[in-house]
Amino acid sequence: MSVIFDAELEQWQVRDAPVETTGFTVGYKNGFCPTKAPMTELPSRYEVLEQLLNESQVELPNGEPGLLAKNEFRNAVKERLPDYTEQVSKETDPHLLLALHRDLCSVASCYCFEPCSLKFHSTKTADEGIGGKYGFADNVLPSKLAMAMDAVGAKLKAFPWLDYTDYGLVNFKTIDESKGTKDPANLKAIRQLHGGKNENGFMIVHVGMEAHTGDLVRHGDSLLTAVEKKQHSDAQAALTGLYQTAKEINNVREQMWKWCQPASYMKLRTWIYGIKNTGLFPNDECIYEGCTPEKRSYRGETGAQSTIIPYLDTVVGLDKHYPKNELTDYLLELRDYRPYQHREFLSFVQQRASSACVEEFMRCDVCTVVCLLRVLNEIRAFRQGHWNFVKSYIIQNHDHPIATGGTPISTWLPNQLGATMQLMSELISMVKEQPEWEDKLAKKDLKSSFDSIDHTLETVVKYLQNEVNELRAKYNQ
């Protein structure tokens, strides 16, 4: 399967890809976002599915309790949901299929976790949901739901379970179309599972970050081209573009504190868990009635299913420094939960970067190394910022030691953060060993950036190690 660049459309296209998967063709305009705005309402032939989702939320838009708040959702699905399997099998529009995957998987998540939410809210110790227990999910999906999900997933080459694409990338609309999608204030979620302003805020911040990925892809392409042509000045310009775009993404990420309050996150977290390794399903299995095989086990929705950081890691060669352990295996497993076009594009970029010997080339020039360090520092800031979210949004409010994707909560993020900082430390030492390095950096106005990164890294490394050791002891992980 080859990936080719369409210069007219400015898109990387997977040759001979099924048309159903083309809703996520990667390009300079849309980046890792869908090529068209997500479908906000299903066609009338899916009217009942639309109605169920509009009635389901724990907190409805009008302030009233929805079906999930009253333990009535699963019965409503059993009684009202038609078997859409034959109908969805006929669909070929990629954007409709993406909307159907979003909506059917949302129904499945609500169906499975309705008992978990009810138990959580009956055992919590504070109004915001601190300390509640989940119990077990309903581990049997009725055939009319399971088979329809399976049919849509097969067309999209996606797992039939709620993922980051469903919850974020195809789950937004703009308030003012002319203002675009980069500002979360101009975005609104299409579907919510719990409901309320905090869940909406959680979703739209992720979309706001993804809206910058067109520039990320453009600068990444420029970097690989510069390396292939052995042009350090062009590589430095491309790395500067990557750094500036990554910084913009981090600026949006920091808005999470404003849009979603830490304690309130616990209300929505229940609905985005997976089946695998979460402790919420007996034997880590859910029965998909009528499907082959019936017993399924999938990872839950997590920001780690975004393509942003894996792309940055790959295009600058950081992926070659991942530690060889179970946590890295999980990171690589998550690539299977991204849109098909993203998976193929990432594989292509990995092959291209490896063939060009990206990191080896960049190490040959001290100024290029510092430009690389600026990108790595933004990757470090992103991972550390995510780790700070985990501490404030989850660890301080709950004692369930497993993340929504099924990883140990105290060690997963520090694993990749540590690898990032280790490479940065190595490159900083290398710079300081070069003759006249300070003068060379000063001539290109890079000295102050280098000094700032050097100081920040030294402080962060010591702090992180102490933190992780304390949490590993607490959770016995």
Side-chain angles (χ1 to χ4, degrees), residues 167-229:
Y167 201 59
L169 294 181
V170 295
N171 195 28
F172 70 91
K173 56 185 175 183
T174 54
I175 297 170
D176 182 344
E177 190 174 345
S178 67
K179 294 182 179 179
T181 57
K182 291 184 177 180
D183 182 1
N186 192 46
L187 300 172
K188 187 175 181 181
I190 296 170
R191 305 290 188 208
Q192 292 190 57
L193 307 184
H194 184 278
K197 66 179 183 180
N198 285 285
E199 183 174 27
N200 180 74
F202 180 77
M203 293 171 167
I204 62 176
V205 169
H206 285 91
V207 175
M209 290 189 287
E210 298 285 348
H212 291 269
T213 55
D215 292 335
L216 213 61
V217 174
R218 184 188 300 273
H219 295 307
D221 278 357
S222 296
L223 173 62
L224 293 177
T225 299
V227 173
E228 288 163 348
K229 293 181 177 179

Side-chain angles (χ1 to χ4, degrees), residues 380-439:
R380 190 267 322 155
F382 190 99
R383 285 191 160 116
Q384 188 176 353
H386 195 180
W387 173 238
N388 290 337
F389 288 155
V390 167
K391 291 182 295 179
S392 295
Y393 283 73
I394 302 172
I395 291 174
Q396 291 180 13
N397 294 309
H398 205 224
D399 59 4
H400 189 66
I402 305 298
T404 55
T407 52
I409 204 163
S410 66
T411 55
W412 152 241
L413 281 166
N415 184 64
Q416 307 308 323
L417 177 55
T420 306
M421 294 192 296
Q422 185 174 341
L423 176 58
M424 291 175 66
S425 180
E426 180 185 331
L427 292 175
I428 287 170
S429 297
M430 192 191 81
V431 168
K432 292 179 179 179
E433 293 171 358
Q434 303 305 307
E436 300 179 352
W437 67 272
E438 291 178 297
D439 291 340

Side-chain angles (χ1 to χ4, degrees), residues 16 21 31 65 133 135 153 172 185 211 231 240 270 289 296-297 313 324 378 409 425 460:
D16 299 326
T21 69
K133 305 299 180 183
F172 70 91
Q231 296 290 334
T240 299
T270 308
E289 288 187 331
R296 306 290 182 93
S297 188
D313 284 354
K324 290 180 170 57
E378 290 304 318
I409 204 163
S425 180
V460 169

Side-chain angles (χ1 to χ4, degrees), residues 184-334:
N186 192 46
L187 300 172
K188 187 175 181 181
I190 296 170
R191 305 290 188 208
Q192 292 190 57
L193 307 184
H194 184 278
K197 66 179 183 180
N198 285 285
E199 183 174 27
N200 180 74
F202 180 77
M203 293 171 167
I204 62 176
V205 169
H206 285 91
V207 175
M209 290 189 287
E210 298 285 348
H212 291 269
T213 55
D215 292 335
L216 213 61
V217 174
R218 184 188 300 273
H219 295 307
D221 278 357
S222 296
L223 173 62
L224 293 177
T225 299
V227 173
E228 288 163 348
K229 293 181 177 179
K230 310 298 181 186
Q231 296 290 334
H232 275 285
S233 59
D234 289 349
Q236 291 164 19
L239 285 165
T240 299
L242 280 174
Y243 155 70
Q244 291 170 341
T245 305
K247 193 174 187 67
E248 290 172 351
I249 291 171
N250 271 321
N251 288 339
V252 177
R253 176 187 51 75
E254 278 295 307
Q255 293 186 44
M256 185 66 77
W257 302 104
K258 164 187 167 184
W259 286 100
C260 180
Q261 298 304 306
S264 294
Y265 170 73
M266 299 311 301
K267 294 180 180 179
L268 64 97
R269 186 180 183 229
T270 308
W271 309 106
I272 58 177
Y273 269 103
I275 305 166
K276 190 174 183 179
N277 294 347
T278 57
L280 304 182
F281 288 80
N283 301 316
D284 283 347
E285 293 174 340
C286 184
I287 305 300
Y288 281 52
E289 288 187 331
C291 298
T292 304
E294 277 199 333
K295 294 179 180 179
R296 306 290 182 93
S297 188
Y298 300 116
R299 296 285 184 183
E301 191 279 340
T302 165
Q305 291 168 351
S306 166
T307 308
I308 292 176
I309 294 300
Y311 175 72
L312 279 170
D313 284 354
T314 302
V315 83
V316 300
L318 176 56
D319 61 328
K320 295 184 179 298
H321 296 268
Y322 290 163
K324 290 180 170 57
N325 57 32
E326 187 178 2
L327 295 170
T328 296
D329 291 343
Y330 163 74
L331 177 73
L332 299 177
E333 181 186 346
L334 285 184

